[in-house]
Amino acid sequence: MSIRETDIPALARGCAVLGTGGGGDVRAGSLAAVRAIRAYGPVPLVRLAELPPDALVVPLSGIGAPTVSHEMIHGEDEPKRIAEEVERLFGRPPAAVMSSEIGGSNGVAPVAWAAQLGLPLLDADGMGRAFPEVQMVSMYVAGLPADLVIMSDVAGNVVTIRPVDGLWSERLARAVCVAAGSSALMADYVLTAGRARGAVVEGTVTRALEIGRATEDAADPLTALAAELGAVRLITGKLTDVERRTTGGFVRGTATIEGTGDDRGRTLVLELQNENLVAVEDNQVRAMVPDLITVVDTETAAAIQTEGLRYGQRVTVLAWPCDPLWRTRKGLDTAGPRAFGYDLDYVPVEELAHG
Amino acid sequence: MSIRETDIPALARGCAVLGTGGGGDVRAGSLAAVRAIRAYGPVPLVRLAELPPDALVVPLSGIGAPTVSHEMIHGEDEPKRIAEEVERLFGRPPAAVMSSEIGGSNGVAPVAWAAQLGLPLLDADGMGRAFPEVQMVSMYVAGLPADLVIMSDVAGNVVTIRPVDGLWSERLARAVCVAAGSSALMADYVLTAGRARGAVVEGTVTRALEIGRATEDAADPLTALAAELGAVRLITGKLTDVERRTTGGFVRGTATIEGTGDDRGRTLVLELQNENLVAVEDNQVRAMVPDLITVVDTETAAAIQTEGLRYGQRVTVLAWPCDPLWRTRKGLDTAGPRAFGYDLDYVPVEELAHG
């Protein structure tokens, strides 16, 4: 199949849900995708099994402060310069683009980058959700060496990093991003289709499309979305307090939801670091990273990103299980609660939420 | 000829004089050079004319805060990783190492890097002195594209920058350096011997050796040094005030010298930004960048670096003309007084000092 202009709204809705509050504003990625499809035509969506083992897959993502990347996602030269650098380094051109992060804008924008490069989009990503740091990708958890990062910025600079490990990768890429005006396009873990097997989260573009379509024309969008996700409804209520600060390119804070209707008298507090990371009620954790926690508009079931949380919004908080790779020991070391500074042992949402 | 262990003290003294207060502590570079020569043997010194036109010359320098680089200059892996990256990008190994900056530690340490790589050292550099910023090199003034920077740090990371211009080169390289712990080895403007003609300052390793030797066994080292340099003596006196602060990897400040002996009653103020940039007496500028201004011990004629300036030192300030390339319009735009924020029109030291 191919991704057409008419698919973008559903893809964007699904990516917003998978963004768990982060991953950048999907409107920016959607606009870029629509423009690129109009200019270059629909983007073929390929499964990993369809690619020959030595085909080069280029995982791409925008890196930077969300408030900056909105305006800077539209460049056409950045993906071209990264593709040129890939060809220079590997001796052959890339065969497919992959989203590094299906959640948020970074799940939709790769449609634009693939269109601009005349390449198919791989039906997979490196997270199955959104995460804030460069090393928090399935390729890292699978043990692939974090041996190459290629960055391209709006000024035209190209920076290639050969880091000794994923943590250095994050540290150096972040420094380059800040120096480049807090926004850059990044290729991380350029890999062959052969190596991608078992090291990427497959089917996530299709999954985002399905999630986006589940609420289309639904009589009860919230119930339809929760069913599609297999999600637990943590609370339905009103946003009564939002505390946010942006430091070092990251948004941190808390959001407090007071229950209404059947949930009257209950209070849920979300801990945020770009994404929604921990949900607490009466000093009991009800869901935690790497499981997915998304705040949606109670009426439309549209996901609300961290930047869009406002006092008085009528919201529902949904939580559902992450991809199994994040529940392995290395997965939890990489993106479990302690990786974000919470002194919590991970317990799966299925056990907690009904607890 | 070859550079032997016994040449290092003279080379270090000469590089310190050409450092005009900056370029890093020559003791660090000397120690590295002596160790490497003991391990790998003397380093052949080659003239540009001896290299075939397509031979790859790799200009190397340490980048970072001077106070950090002292301890970190000794790594053997950094030059090897840069040479590997050069070979990967150009398809052939480097043929010679060049000092990017003959002034200070960066003039001596390339002996170590060449020895470790088993390569000759080119008798040339990119400044003929020391300058604080990445784009302040002869290759930039000659109009060569600043299209490639390769950096290697003590942790083992390699970062390749393809900047759109020299200013981006400085900005991105500085950010990577800070993220890498404020110290890295850098190859800037990797170029063929053919392109190096007219784009490097030739003969400067030999020149540093001659300067270092001029004071060896001299009855009057100060007079011998001034004669060798063709330098004007701006003042002889006592350091009465030193004001320094380190911000963003740069040392800024002033040094005040009150005249003694024949110079009693006179006061000279030096403006410092890593290097000695402007010498002022009675509101009259007596020498300014890009001409060279060096503070030496009055008795031994040993150069004193910015970091080593102390109250009470008996010093003489010498000033002499820079390489003609720095007096061209592009040279002055790049490293003239206005490039450092001084609202001064450049006047050559020969005209000012006797003025």
Side-chain angles (χ1 to χ4, degrees), chain B residues 27 32 47 66 72 77 110 112 115-116 149 159 180 250 266 317 341:
Chain B
R27 286 172 298 183
R47 284 175 298 115
M72 298 179 84
D77 292 338
Q116 287 156 2
V149 175
V159 176
F250 289 94
R266 295 174 47 203
V317 182

Side-chain angles (χ1 to χ4, degrees), chain A residues 85 88-89 153 155-165 168-169 171-172 175-176 178-181, chain B residues 85 88-89 153 155-165 168-169 171-172 175-176 178-181:
Chain A
E85 190 73 8
R88 183 170 13 224
L89 295 175
D153 67 19
N157 302 294
V158 177
V159 176
T160 302
I161 303 171
R162 296 188 184 276
V164 288
D165 60 31
W168 273 109
S169 168
R171 188 167 171 182
L172 293 167
V176 169
V178 169
Chain B
E85 190 73 8
R88 186 174 7 227
L89 294 175
D153 68 18
N157 300 295
V158 176
V159 176
T160 302
I161 303 171
R162 295 187 184 277
V164 288
D165 59 31
W168 273 109
S169 168
R171 188 167 172 183
L172 292 167
V176 169
V178 169

Side-chain angles (χ1 to χ4, degrees), chain B residues 18 20 23 59-61 63 98-103 106 125-144 146 149 165-171 173-174 186 188-189 199-201 250 252 273-277 289-290 322-323 325-326 328 330-342:
Chain B
L18 293 171
T20 69
L60 290 177
S61 61
I63 170 174
M98 183 180 93
S99 166
S100 297
E101 170 182 63
I102 194 69
N106 273 327
D125 83 307
M127 298 184 182
R129 47 165 296 157
F131 277 126
E133 295 186 17
V134 168
Q135 81 282 7
M136 295 171 170
V137 288
S138 54
M139 294 78 93
Y140 178 75
V141 176
L144 295 192
V149 175
D165 59 31
L167 298 176
W168 273 109
S169 168
E170 162 65 24
R171 188 167 172 183
R174 191 69 54 185
M186 180 172 73
D188 198 7
Y189 288 95
V200 300
V201 188
F250 289 94
R252 294 172 201 274
Q273 289 185 31
N274 285 19
E275 281 76 43
N276 309 312
L277 295 184
V289 71
C322 62
D323 189 271
L325 88 99
W326 294 116
T328 61
K330 184 146 185 214
L332 290 172
D333 284 349
T334 304
R338 290 184 199 282
F340 293 93
Y342 299 107

Side-chain angles (χ1 to χ4, degrees), chain B residues 3 33 43 80 92 134 161 172 181 187 204 214-215 243 287 343:
Chain B
I3 300 178
V43 173
K80 284 177 187 160
R92 59 192 198 277
V134 168
I161 303 171
L172 292 167
T204 47
T215 54
E243 198 190 309
D343 188 21

Side-chain angles (χ1 to χ4, degrees), chain A residues 256-339:
Chain A
T256 305
I257 298 106
E258 293 191 359
T260 53
D262 290 351
D263 291 335
R264 186 172 306 274
R266 295 175 48 204
T267 301
L268 189 81
V269 177
L270 293 179
E271 295 278 343
L272 320 168
Q273 290 185 31
N274 285 17
E275 282 75 41
N276 309 312
L277 296 185
V278 181
V280 180
E281 179 175 353
D282 291 335
N283 293 318
Q284 299 288 315
V285 175
R286 297 200 57 213
M288 69 179 98
V289 70
D291 287 329
L292 293 85
I293 305 169
T294 287
V295 180
V296 302
D297 180 290
T298 299
E299 195 178 333
T300 65
I304 303 173
Q305 290 181 295
T306 303
E307 295 282 343
L309 296 173
R310 300 279 181 275
Y311 174 85
Q313 281 167 336
R314 303 290 169 156
V315 300
T316 292
V317 182
L318 300 175
W320 67 102
C322 62
D323 189 271
L325 87 99
W326 294 115
R327 294 182 171 186
T328 62
R329 208 177 82 179
K330 183 145 186 213
L332 289 172
D333 285 349
T334 304
R338 291 184 198 280

